[in-house]
Amino acid sequence: MRAVDIIAKKRDGGELSAAEIDSFIQGFIQDEIPDYQAAAWLMTIYLQGMSRQETIDLTMAMACSGQMLDLDEIAPLVVDKHSTGGVGDKTTLAVAPLVASTGLPVGKMSGRALSFSGGTLDKLESIPGFQADITTAEFLAQLRTAGLVVCGQTADLAPADGKLYALRDVTATVSCLPLIASSIMSKKIASGASAIVLDVKVGRGAFMKTKEEATALACLMVEIGQGVDRQVRAVLSDMNQPLGRAVGNALELKEALDTLHGHGPQDFLEHCLSVAGQMLILGGKAHDAEEARATLLEALHSGRALAKFREWISAQGGDLAAVDDPSRLPQAAVVQDVPAPRAGYVAGVDAMEVGLTAMLLGAGRAKKGDPVDHAVGVVLRAKVGDYVKRGEPLLTIHANNGHKLAQATERLLAACTWSEEPVQAPPLLYEIIQRD
Ligand code: URA
């Protein structure tokens, strides 16, 4: 099969067979197909779209381009979750131990911060000693012994996706539903979990800006899962304002710990209970959302979820002294409240702007490989719907640089909008998408 014929077929609106897609992916990862042909192929997909079957075939071709983990030997059912990325999204830090403490193994490969969006591994690495980059053998061993492991993606997992994503990034072909869905699902499928809950974020601080786009992506990923015999559900959740209050690595870690101690922000806890609840249902630990919620609250209030968190962090080399006493986590040189410039109801806190400001402070990275500052970030003292008096703290900035502190103050004040009238807080969750 010649690459040029496969490109031409897609260009002319044809439907590619599984064999054609597989041969293109194989040729690409073996460097037989050059980047310029792969870039042209991506653009034909961007312009012509892909059928459901083509998207499933592309997902499997990318998943099979490297190692496919088989977790059956470890446990009959391992669950995973994946967020499409957002601001203040520290969900994995609380959800993974909550779920694992009910006896359901959680094995997960996570990512790092990029642009406005945070990354779970950076948050975990604010704990001194925590090892995010472990081998596949270590991943499997920890899943067996602790029932919980979260680490970086190994290089041999879906390598075709990594190579194609780098090309998409520079050829304006990222924002294409079949390419996004197959990219995410290929990695999830290769990492072996048999049940996956997708947290698809929608709004200002998300990849998907509208509910329609987010629903289409969620439905496509759920269908891909169904097509390859994985149980997949998607939770459509709001990302117009940051999730919880903290944005920044150590700050978010501390907020997740507060939540496991039973005194985290209510919106964050509710979101965690929804995502974890769906994981329990898929994992056969609960029949419905109500039963799942009761099981999870019991795990939380009994201290079992916190104990599982400690076990997990310790298994990956993290210093438990910092877990038990978060004042030992990285601390910024300057911690400064920003007073509300007026009285009123908070009408909006632009999640994208907050994420970009946290990045400016050093919490995130503008490009892959940049270092991050674990200490810096922002804590919101008011969220949408709250009434604030003039001069009361609106937010707190944690900074390591005076110039950046001044810039951040200006940007964050501009990111907040106000109303004289009471404002309804946005829903946390819009919809649960399932096909079972
Ligand atoms: N996340 C991914 O892993 N892939 C995409 O294409 C977009 C977001």
Side-chain angles (χ1 to χ4, degrees), residues 82-85 153 161 165 168 173-187 207-208 217:
H82 178 84
S83 160
T84 55
Q153 193 182 311
D161 173 60
Y165 193 88
R168 286 168 59 205
T173 50
V174 168
S175 58
C176 166
L177 275 190
L179 293 179
I180 297 172
S182 55
S183 164
I184 293 173
M185 291 303 289
S186 63
K187 289 174 285 207
F207 213 45
M208 298 286 135
L217 175 63

Side-chain angles (χ1 to χ4, degrees), residues 35 67 85 87 129 156 189 235 247 257 289 295 315 331 366 383 409 435:
D35 280 2
Q67 186 179 30
V87 179
D156 46 7
I189 289 165
V235 170
V247 181
L257 267 170
T295 305
Q331 306 285 329
K383 294 203 65 180
T409 305
R435 286 276 181 282

